[in-house]
Structures are given as C-alpha cells and as structure tokens.
Amino acid sequence: MNKDNNGTILCAAVGISHEFPKPEGNRLKVLDDINLQIRSGEVVALLGPSGCGKSTILRILAGLIKPAAGEVRTHGEKLAGLNKGAAIVFQGFALYPWMTVSENIEVVLRSTGYPAAEIDARVQETVRMVGLTGFEDAYPRELSGGMKQRVGIARAIAVKPELLFMDEPFSQVDALTAESLRAEVLDIWEMAGANPQSILMVSHDIKEVVYMADRIIVLGAHPGRVRTVVENKMPRPRDYRSAEFQRLMERLHDIISGHEMPDVAVEPAMPPSFIEPLPNCSAGEIVGLMEYLDARGGTADVFQISVDTRSEFGQIITIVKGAEMLDLVDTPKRLVALTPVGRMFIKASPEERKNVWRGQMLQLNLFRTIKDLIDKHPEQAISKELVQEIIVMHMPFENYEPLFDNLIRWGRYGNLFSYDETSETISRPDTPA
Amino acid sequence: MEWMQWGVTGRFRLRPLTAYWPDAVFILCVAGLFYGLAGFEKQITANLRPAFDIDLSPWALPKYALYSLARGLAAYGISLAFTLLYGYWAAKDERAGSVLVPLLDILQSIPVLGFMPGVVLALIALFPRSNVGLELACIIMIFTGQAWNMTFGFYHSLRSLSPEQRDAAAVFRFNWWQKLRWVELPSAATGLVWNSMMSMAGGWFFLMISEAFMLGKKDYRLPGLGSYMSVAVDKGDYAAMTWAVLAMIAIIVALDQLLWRPLTVWVRRYRLEEGGGEPETDSSWFLDWLTSLKLLKAAVSALHQIMLHTPKRPARRAAAPMNGAAGRWLVPGLRGFLFAAVIAVLGYAAVQLAALVGELGMADWKTVWYSAFLTFLRVFAVLLAGTLWTLPAGILIGRSAAALRFLQPVVQIAASFPAPMLFPVMVALFIWLHLSLGWGSILLMLLGSQWYILFNVIGAAAAVPADLKEATVSFRLSGWRQFTALYVPAVFPALVTGWVTAAGGAWNASIVAEKVNYGEQPLATDGIGALISQSAERGDFHTLAASIMVMAAVVVLLNRVVWDRLAGLAQERYSLGK
C-alpha cells in the first residue's frame, strides 16, 4: 500500500438504522444499528447477499438518503445534506447518453465548481488515467459495458473526491473485463496523488473483495446488520491463486454460508406455530441443482457450484436453502449433498418427481396450513388475500408479494393446488394426483 | 472547439462561391418568412373589425393559409412554454403537483368552446380598438387544443428519471438549471417532439371554430384558412372548399417535411438507449440539407457550446447557494405564493361556475344529462366501429414492412388533417342518403378519432418480436389463428391506449359533429356537443357552463373508472416487454 495510511477517520456510520415504508402503511426495517468507519488510505468493502441493504448504506454515507436513526460523521462532524467529499461510481453507469465521453466528465467538473481554466486539462488527464484516450468524442452507446464503466470511474475521480464510492461497479461488466478493471482501479487509486484517499465498494463477489479490499465488512440480511469485519493485510498486487488468497476466500465463504445456510436451524427464535419463509428460487432452479449434484456423484462444494454455473453466489445459497427445506439436500459445512429423498427424487420420472415434491412440501407448516384451508373451505378454494394475510401475520419482515408468487410456483410444480390469476383464488388442482 | 473551424474566416475564402448556394437559399427563405410575418403584424394591429370579409378566390388563399400557420405556430410556442413551466412545477413541487396534475386532467377534458366565451370577452375588453384581442383569443383557443397532452408527457418524463440518474445529479451537485439542461430536458426531448406532433394536429382540429365563431348573436371572423372554409361552407361554394382542403393538406405536409420529420430525426441523439419504443424515422432530406449549411452548422454548434458551457457563476456563490436568510425563505415563499394564487383562481372559478349553474332548473339539468347520455352512446359506437376496421387494417399494415414504409406517412398525414373540414361533404352525402344527423354524427366523430386507434395498432403490430412471428409461422397457424393467437393479444395494450385517445377525441368532436353548419340552415341533433355549441352561439352561458361541466365530469370519470383499469389489465396481462 503506497497510500498515506495515517488512520484518520474520514467518514463513519454511527448507529445507523433505516426503514422503508411499505405500500400498506407499515414499515420495513432494512438496516439495524450499522457502525463502521472508513479511514484514510484504505479500501473498504461491504460484502453481503442481496437484500442486506449494502447500497442503502453507501447512499446514506453519501448523504443521498437520510437515515431513520443514527448519524453519518465526516471528519468527526455530523453530516447534514450531501457528503461533498464523496463521488459515486454507479452499477448501471448513469452516464448521459447525449454527451460524449469528454462532455460527460466535463459537466461534473463544471457543476462541482472546478476552476474553469483547468477543466479541459483535467478532462484530458482523467481520460488518460482510465485508458479512454481516443474515445473522447465517442457517445456512451458506442461503448461496451467495460468502457462505459471506465467513463463512470473517470467522471468520479475527475472531481478529486476524498472518498470514491463504488456501488457494485463491475456487476454489469463481462467477467474478463471486470478482472482487469479491478487491477486498474487499484493502480489509479495508488497513483492518483492525494485524492481519492479511500475507496468504499459494495459487492456480492467474494473474489472481488478479497482482491481489492483492506477491510471487508460482512453484512447479514433481514434487516441488514454488520456481522463481522475481516482484515485483509495481503500485499498488493494480490495473486488469485495464492494459498493465502484462497484461504481468505474460504473463510469468508464459511462466515456467509455458515450463517446463511440453515445448518443450525432456519430461525431459532420462531414462535411454536411458525411458518417457513420460502427462499426466492423456483422449482426449476432446485431441480437444476439436483441434476447438477447427481451428475457429480451427489456432492459438491457450494463455491464450485457458483463458479461452474456462472451464478451469483447469493442465488446459489438461496437455491441450496430451498432444496434443504424440502429435505432434498444436506449441507455439511461448505458442501452440498443429496439426501436419500433427493436421490429418489432425481431418479424418478417427471410425474413421480411431482409426487415426491408434494410430499416434501407437505412437511412444511406453510403448505400444510394452506392445504388444510383449501380442504376445509366449502368451495375448496381460498383467496390470494387470505394467504397473503397469513404470510404477513407470521413473517412481518418478509416482503409478501415475491414470497406469495414463489409459493404459487412451488405449489403449481408439485400439483398441490392451482391458482387462477384473474379471480386471484387458490383451489385444488384440476387433475388431482 | 470544432465549430470555430466553420467560422467566417478561413474556410469561407477557400471555397468557390457556388458552394454556398444552399446558404443563399436559406437566407432568402428566412427573409421571405419575415416579410410574410410583417404582413401578419399589419393585420393584428389593424382596427378591430369583428367579422373580416373573406375573399373566396383561390388567390387569396396562400395569404390566409400563412396567417393560420402563423397562429398555429404562435399557439405552439405558448404550448411549449406552458408545458415546460407547468410540467416542471407539477413534477418538482409535491404539494402543487397534487393539485396541478388532476387539474390538467380536467383541463384536458374541457372542449375548446368551454374556454371560448371567457377568453374572447376578456381579451376584446382588454384591446377594444385593435385586432390584438381577437387574434390572441384565437391563438389561445388553438392553444387549448394543443397544450395538455404535451404537458402530461413532459411531467411523466420528469417523474420517470431513473433513480441512479437522480443520484448522480445529486452527488455531482448539479444545480436545478444544470440538471434541467443536462439531464431532464434531454431525456424528455424524444417524448416532447412526438407529443408536439400530435398536439399540432389537435390544434388544427378546431381551426374553423377558432377563426370564425358566433358568440351571443355576434359574428367574429379573422382572416385565415379556417374562416375561409367556414364562409365557403356557408355559401355552399364547393370549389372554394376543395381549395381550402388542399391548402390544409399543403400546410400539414410542409410542417411534416420541414419541421417534424427533421426534429424526429434530430432528436434521436437524445434517445436513452438503443431500440426505443418510438417508430424509427430513417432520414429527413430537409435536415440533411440544413446540416449541409455552413452558416447553420456554426450557429448550431455555437448553441450547443452555450448549452453545455454557460459561464459558471462565480465560485463564492456556488459554494453558498442561497445560503443566506433570503435564500431560505425566498424560494419556498415564491412557491407558496404561486400555489395560493392557483388555489385562489380555482376557488374563484368554482364560485363563478356555481353562480352560473345555480340558476338552472330541474328540467334544464335533465336535458343536459340526457344529452350527455346520448353522446356517450355515440362515443361508444365510434370506438366499436373504429375498432372493427382499424384492428385488422392496422395489423395488416404493421405486419408487412413494405406496407408500413409506404402507408405510415400517409396515415400520419391523414391523422393530422382536421376532420371537420370534411364534414360538409359528409353531410351532403347524409342528405342524399336520407341519413339523419343523429346517426350521421357517429360517422363524423369517427372520421376524426379512428386514426388514434389505427396509429397505435400499427405501431404495436410492427413491434411484435420476430421470434414470436417465426414461432407462429413454424407451427403453421392459419391466418385467422395468427390473428387471434398472436396479433390481437399483442396489440391489445396499444389498442387500449388508442381507445382512450380516440374516446377523448370523439367527445371533443361531438361539438362540431352534432351540430353542423351546412349552407343556410345548420343541422343539429340531440347531444351534449350540440347543446354546447348551440348555447355558446345563443350566448346562454348558464346552459353552456352546465353542459361543459357535465361533459368534463363524465370524461374524467370514465378515465378513472374504465380506462385506467383497462390499461392496467392490458399492461399486466398482454405486455410483451417483460
């Protein structure tokens, strides 16, 4: 680290909590008591599954969102309004399609009050720093995703911010380009002189944060909270294949999966008549996972699955969780293994698979409750509203709309019930098994 | 600074003079335009003459057509200014927006005759000696046919800016003016141009009424294409009517070629991403010609530079934008004042309306509601008949690339043509066929509003994804099954949009369709439109106010109860963009 690392705290979150209003009036807690600091001369990463509020934390620190409780401090002072020391690189680039590359950079220099006489020179300098020379007069639509994000980076560092915020900066860039951009961002940061002094990045990619960050803040979801902070003292440039790199990656996997995967219990503090929150994955994805495992002798490393299937790690965890709820797989540590039921399922014909699926679903309180309700109802049909009410009553923190959609998908796959979208009723299947 | 290379020095001297003939033509055109406008200025400042004597000779027509064009463009200028101010205010100020947006919905449903008496009487009182008042009244009446959908479109573009773009503008500390110039106006530009095209057509629709109208036994007439047509109709002069129709077509084609087409091509630089929903306009010869002009090129890039590089305010002020006590109360104070003014005007209007309407008896109200019901049935019939022919026709046109290229410009012109100019011919036909106006008016209303349905259906049929088409062909669905299985569901959301617009157009058209001036005696049938135009002519403001209120209420109610829900359903069920 060539950066001046004197440990001054540039920006800090102190006891931040946040809520979003829900359409029906009550509030959804998205962040719970977040405390973190960004010191000068370091790269900090926020790592966590989708829905843990990483991007919300970034926007609160940037002063774009006012937290419901707690405060942001910059250089020890309470932040009111915009954080003028920060610039953001956006996930979706947020470039102006009607401006050329240099105009995109130029306008932010104008708006932030950069000395007018030096603007042209600064534009050229930043264009050179991010390797866009020759593209000054190109429009964003002529550029690939990677090149677009170079413009996004150039625009942010052009104004010489003390803090560079990056919100999943490489998730819309192809994998190879992302790899080179990561290295380049670090080079730029180290060569850039005084500013940007520090980088705060949001990511769900473990490899990315181990490569880039000095400190990794691991977040948990529902509501978002800081689970643990991992220091990463490896010297740069870091080697993806080194033993140290791999060890740290595995450690982070264990932290995330040990907690996210229902190894211990789904939710320990549930009331006795609890109802399981369905993970947001489709029956097709679960069947896909089973096929994958079957083709590899029934066991695989969860990280390997994510790499092989080119899927987001968080989504793989979700699918594994879904399969485990149905008792189709087991998850000893980082491994995912087929259970005897799972083996039976995968060997069965498509029709029999549905039967196994239905049987496993009925082990869950949620589906049993719904089936009982349908059976008891004189018309053998219940309304969408009723089911949503059950969900909201038992799981006030879950977002009931996607959960309901997912419930319908699972139920339809297992031929447990059928759903009429027009009348919004759930009834017995048309062709009962 | 690329544009400097095109400046007067240097390049100009190096080329032979003949290379500049396009510039010369351009300068001549501009000079000619100014000369024409000077004539218009004379007409405006002339002594007030309520009923101008229209010369029906075709040689007088070009001048009249130019006058009408100038009025249409002036009204458009006002509409644009109104759109930017009203749309911006409604989008940025939550409290004001909660009043301004529903108000816009109501304004949109008030037919032009609803604004006429107030506007005309006020402006004539304001300029008792010259034609200024009457001219302004005419321009404002055209404006009321143009402005509302542009304003709605602009408001929606401002509100639908992506959250990341909003955040970026905040993080990089754009002030409101920079944000408007660099982000909001460019992203609204495409919609604004397409809406402007539609608005201009809407403005022509009531040209005949706007230029020649009766108000309480008094006859007002301004020299122009619309009044030429009305006089020709009154006198039964078919040659003059034909000339007027041709002149109108000439105006529409000229505007299309010289203004709208170049604009739609030019505005593509502001599209958000590749493959937007609007139909692609390939090229415009006029734009190509304009861009070949050295003079104009210099002017445009200078303008572009100014847009991008307006001198920055001194840094001290930038550092403390309105930080003083003045800044803290000035902007909210001004907003509050404007808001209070709007509320006061609305309150005053409501009191006046109540007073006007309060004098009506039970029987009068019964007539108004009965008429509204009759017109409601006609509007329904218009939609039914319009759908019956435009749905298959639109799908057939949209499906074939060749038909699309050839017919779409034709449909566009047809849709812009103000249908009331064709009403006399239609009425002659009705008389010959012994068809009563009660039924005939349905056809008249259809003539004006069917295009909205056709337009939308064509657009949606052309946008059906290729893989869906290939699938239908490869599964060998018969022609009929292709229609019912693929095209009808695929165009359904667009069909609903078409219905909403067509229904609005049909309600409006009822004013000129249910009571038609034809020769000596006007024909009329029962309906809210006839009631509105008759009461305006008689100067019976009580009935006028009541029937306009009822019509606006019915239209707004139908929008809320029927159309919004249907559009929601269409979007949810049949939308292809998922």
Side-chain angles (χ1 to χ4, degrees), chain B residues 174-330:
Chain B
F174 290 8
N175 59 35
W176 72 270
W177 172 234
Q178 289 168 330
K179 193 174 174 194
L180 182 69
R181 267 185 319 165
W182 294 340
V183 190
E184 288 162 341
L185 273 185
S187 52
T190 310
L192 205 52
V193 167
W194 287 92
N195 273 321
S196 296
M197 261 164 87
M198 277 191 62
S199 287
M200 206 67 186
W204 296 136
F205 195 86
F206 286 111
L207 187 66
M208 285 168 71
I209 290 192
S210 307
E211 285 183 348
F213 50 88
M214 306 263 291
L215 183 59
K217 300 223 178 59
K218 232 173 159 178
D219 199 353
Y220 294 94
R221 213 178 296 142
L222 285 163
L225 184 56
S227 47
Y228 181 98
M229 185 70 188
S230 354
V231 172
V233 171
D234 285 345
K235 297 201 172 148
D237 185 340
Y238 282 96
M241 286 187 224
T242 315
W243 285 118
V245 168
L246 288 178
M248 192 70 232
I249 293 177
I251 287 185
I252 289 169
V253 172
L255 275 180
D256 179 65
Q257 291 293 310
L258 301 181
L259 187 63
W260 301 124
R261 202 161 240 279
L263 267 178
T264 48
V265 174
W266 176 80
V267 84
R268 273 166 54 194
R269 73 178 57 199
Y270 293 124
R271 74 198 145 163
L272 285 168
E273 272 309 318
E274 18 299 66
E278 283 78 21
E280 287 269 313
T281 329
D282 301 314
S283 63
S284 154
W285 61 268
F286 189 64
L287 186 68
D288 292 344
W289 182 69
L290 282 182
T291 44
S292 76
L293 297 178
K294 280 102 201 156
L295 266 179
L296 208 69
K297 196 165 180 173
V300 165
S301 44
L303 200 72
H304 183 70
Q305 295 294 324
I306 291 170
M307 278 296 277
L308 207 63
H309 305 271
T310 334
K312 174 87 184 162
R313 315 173 294 193
R316 317 174 237 116
R317 274 188 64 198
M322 303 290 246
N323 248 357
R328 223 166 293 141
W329 57 260
L330 189 66

Side-chain angles (χ1 to χ4, degrees), chain A residues 59 64 82 84 88 90-92 95-99 103 106-108 110-112 141 155 421-422, chain B residues 164-165 167-168 170-174 178 182-183 186-187 269-272 274 304 308-309 312 573:
Chain A
R59 278 168 172 72
L64 288 168
L82 219 55
K84 296 213 169 144
I88 301 183
F90 292 92
Q91 181 176 18
L95 301 174
Y96 303 114
W98 38 84
M99 295 183 191
E103 284 167 349
E106 193 180 326
V107 291
V108 305
R110 287 183 184 279
S111 66
T112 46
R141 70 172 70 90
R155 177 173 70 174
E421 199 190 34
T422 322
Chain B
E164 275 202 344
Q165 291 282 20
D167 285 349
V171 165
F172 295 113
R173 311 208 292 278
F174 290 8
Q178 289 168 330
W182 294 340
V183 190
S187 52
R269 73 178 57 199
Y270 293 124
R271 74 198 145 163
L272 285 168
E274 18 299 66
H304 183 70
L308 207 63
H309 305 271
K312 174 87 184 162
R573 196 51 93 70

Side-chain angles (χ1 to χ4, degrees), chain A residues 308-366:
Chain A
D308 285 349
T309 57
R310 294 157 190 255
S311 310
E312 194 194 314
F313 184 70
Q315 184 57 22
I316 293 293
I317 297 271
T318 312
I319 299 169
V320 169
K321 193 170 174 178
E324 185 168 37
M325 275 179 71
L326 294 174
D327 210 11
L328 297 172
V329 298
D330 204 359
T331 55
K333 268 293 183 190
R334 271 181 16 235
L335 290 180
V336 183
L338 287 176
T339 59
V341 182
R343 285 187 194 283
M344 191 173 81
F345 176 83
I346 209 71
K347 296 276 178 279
S349 73
E351 207 43 45
E352 288 163 358
R353 277 186 186 180
K354 282 177 186 282
N355 293 336
V356 177
W357 182 278
R358 188 170 53 249
Q360 294 307 109
M361 268 198 305
L362 286 174
Q363 307 277 320
L364 300 175
N365 284 337
L366 175 60

Side-chain angles (χ1 to χ4, degrees), chain A residues 188-404:
Chain A
I188 291 169
W189 169 64
E190 281 172 7
M191 319 261 268
N195 282 337
Q197 283 185 35
S198 305
I199 296 179
L200 172 70
M201 64 184 299
V202 159
S203 178
H204 61 254
D205 184 337
I206 295 181
K207 195 171 62 169
E208 180 170 290
V209 301
V210 173
Y211 183 78
M212 294 188 74
D214 298 308
R215 229 146 37 87
I216 300 155
I217 299 173
V218 184
L219 299 166
H222 305 303
R225 64 204 180 277
V226 175
R227 189 183 288 162
T228 180
V229 179
V230 178
E231 299 281 337
N232 181 4
K233 304 255 187 241
M234 264 185 275
R236 294 199 178 91
R238 292 172 183 159
D239 180 356
Y240 287 106
R241 287 159 308 173
S242 74
E244 213 182 344
F245 196 102
Q246 293 292 330
R247 257 200 309 280
L248 185 52
M249 261 175 53
E250 281 176 20
R251 199 176 138 210
L252 286 167
H253 280 307
D254 288 345
I255 293 173
I256 292 182
S257 52
H259 221 92
E260 289 299 315
M261 284 211 264
D263 221 347
V264 201
V266 183
E267 294 283 6
M270 271 288 185
S273 68
F274 73 94
I275 274 181
E276 308 82 351
L278 287 189
N280 188 15
C281 60
S282 70
E285 284 173 314
I286 294 178
V287 176
L289 172 76
M290 308 289 292
E291 296 279 8
Y292 174 95
L293 290 172
D294 187 45
R296 281 160 190 77
T299 316
D301 182 305
V302 63
F303 176 53
Q304 193 62 40
I305 303 176
S306 153
V307 173
D308 285 349
T309 57
R310 294 157 190 255
S311 310
E312 194 194 314
F313 184 70
Q315 184 57 22
I316 293 293
I317 297 271
T318 312
I319 299 169
V320 169
K321 193 170 174 178
E324 185 168 37
M325 275 179 71
L326 294 174
D327 210 11
L328 297 172
V329 298
D330 204 359
T331 55
K333 268 293 183 190
R334 271 181 16 235
L335 290 180
V336 183
L338 287 176
T339 59
V341 182
R343 285 187 194 283
M344 191 173 81
F345 176 83
I346 209 71
K347 296 276 178 279
S349 73
E351 207 43 45
E352 288 163 358
R353 277 186 186 180
K354 282 177 186 282
N355 293 336
V356 177
W357 182 278
R358 188 170 53 249
Q360 294 307 109
M361 268 198 305
L362 286 174
Q363 307 277 320
L364 300 175
N365 284 337
L366 175 60
F367 288 101
R368 231 183 4 250
T369 313
I370 290 171
K371 186 173 185 301
D372 285 351
L373 281 172
I374 296 174
D375 288 345
K376 276 181 205 145
H377 198 274
E379 282 156 33
Q380 314 249 298
I382 54 173
S383 70
K384 175 183 180 178
E385 272 173 24
L386 176 63
V387 175
Q388 288 193 338
E389 219 165 86
I390 295 172
I391 298 175
V392 171
M393 238 160 48
H394 287 85
M395 292 170 276
F397 295 117
E398 295 287 329
N399 191 351
Y400 63 85
E401 280 284 357
L403 213 148
F404 176 80

Side-chain angles (χ1 to χ4, degrees), chain B residues 140-482:
Chain B
I140 289 177
M141 274 161 30
I142 300 176
F143 156 86
T144 61
Q146 292 178 339
W148 320 126
N149 81 328
M150 281 168 71
T151 311
F152 257 125
F154 184 60
Y155 168 80
H156 283 303
S157 321
L158 287 180
R159 296 290 287 197
S160 56
L161 200 66
S162 83
E164 275 202 344
Q165 291 282 20
R166 233 182 275 268
D167 285 349
V171 165
F172 295 113
R173 311 208 292 278
F174 290 8
N175 59 35
W176 72 270
W177 172 234
Q178 289 168 330
K179 193 174 174 194
L180 182 69
R181 267 185 319 165
W182 294 340
V183 190
E184 288 162 341
L185 273 185
S187 52
T190 310
L192 205 52
V193 167
W194 287 92
N195 273 321
S196 296
M197 261 164 87
M198 277 191 62
S199 287
M200 206 67 186
W204 296 136
F205 195 86
F206 286 111
L207 187 66
M208 285 168 71
I209 290 192
S210 307
E211 285 183 348
F213 50 88
M214 306 263 291
L215 183 59
K217 300 223 178 59
K218 232 173 159 178
D219 199 353
Y220 294 94
R221 213 178 296 142
L222 285 163
L225 184 56
S227 47
Y228 181 98
M229 185 70 188
S230 354
V231 172
V233 171
D234 285 345
K235 297 201 172 148
D237 185 340
Y238 282 96
M241 286 187 224
T242 315
W243 285 118
V245 168
L246 288 178
M248 192 70 232
I249 293 177
I251 287 185
I252 289 169
V253 172
L255 275 180
D256 179 65
Q257 291 293 310
L258 301 181
L259 187 63
W260 301 124
R261 202 161 240 279
L263 267 178
T264 48
V265 174
W266 176 80
V267 84
R268 273 166 54 194
R269 73 178 57 199
Y270 293 124
R271 74 198 145 163
L272 285 168
E273 272 309 318
E274 18 299 66
E278 283 78 21
E280 287 269 313
T281 329
D282 301 314
S283 63
S284 154
W285 61 268
F286 189 64
L287 186 68
D288 292 344
W289 182 69
L290 282 182
T291 44
S292 76
L293 297 178
K294 280 102 201 156
L295 266 179
L296 208 69
K297 196 165 180 173
V300 165
S301 44
L303 200 72
H304 183 70
Q305 295 294 324
I306 291 170
M307 278 296 277
L308 207 63
H309 305 271
T310 334
K312 174 87 184 162
R313 315 173 294 193
R316 317 174 237 116
R317 274 188 64 198
M322 303 290 246
N323 248 357
R328 223 166 293 141
W329 57 260
L330 189 66
V331 172
L334 197 66
R335 271 193 188 167
F337 174 76
L338 280 173
F339 183 67
V342 166
I343 298 292
V345 168
L346 286 180
Y348 177 76
V351 170
Q352 289 291 314
L353 262 181
L356 264 179
V357 172
E359 292 178 23
L360 287 180
M362 207 48 207
D364 298 317
W365 280 110
K366 244 168 119 180
T367 317
V368 172
W369 280 104
Y370 174 67
S371 309
F373 178 67
L374 280 181
T375 306
F376 167 76
L377 292 181
R378 286 199 187 100
V379 170
F380 187 72
V382 164
L383 294 188
L384 205 66
T387 310
L388 274 181
W389 86 265
T390 55
L391 185 61
I395 290 175
L396 284 177
I397 297 175
R399 214 163 55 143
S400 123
L404 189 67
R405 203 168 326 115
F406 175 70
L407 284 174
Q408 199 168 26
V410 178
V411 173
Q412 213 162 326
I413 301 283
S416 309
F417 187 85
M421 291 189 99
L422 297 178
F423 285 4
V425 187
M426 297 288 288
V427 171
L429 199 70
F430 297 161
I431 292 173
W432 186 62
L433 289 171
H434 299 288
L435 184 70
S436 79
L437 192 64
W439 291 100
S441 56
I442 296 176
L443 286 176
L444 297 183
M445 284 153 73
L446 180 66
L447 201 60
S449 36
Q450 59 197 352
W451 306 110
Y452 297 117
I453 311 179
L454 183 62
F455 225 53
N456 277 293
V457 172
I458 291 180
V464 170
D467 52 354
L468 274 182
K469 284 195 226 174
E470 282 160 9
T472 8
V473 174
S474 74
F475 291 127
R476 299 207 198 89
L477 290 188
S478 66
W480 172 249
R481 295 289 295 278
Q482 279 189 30

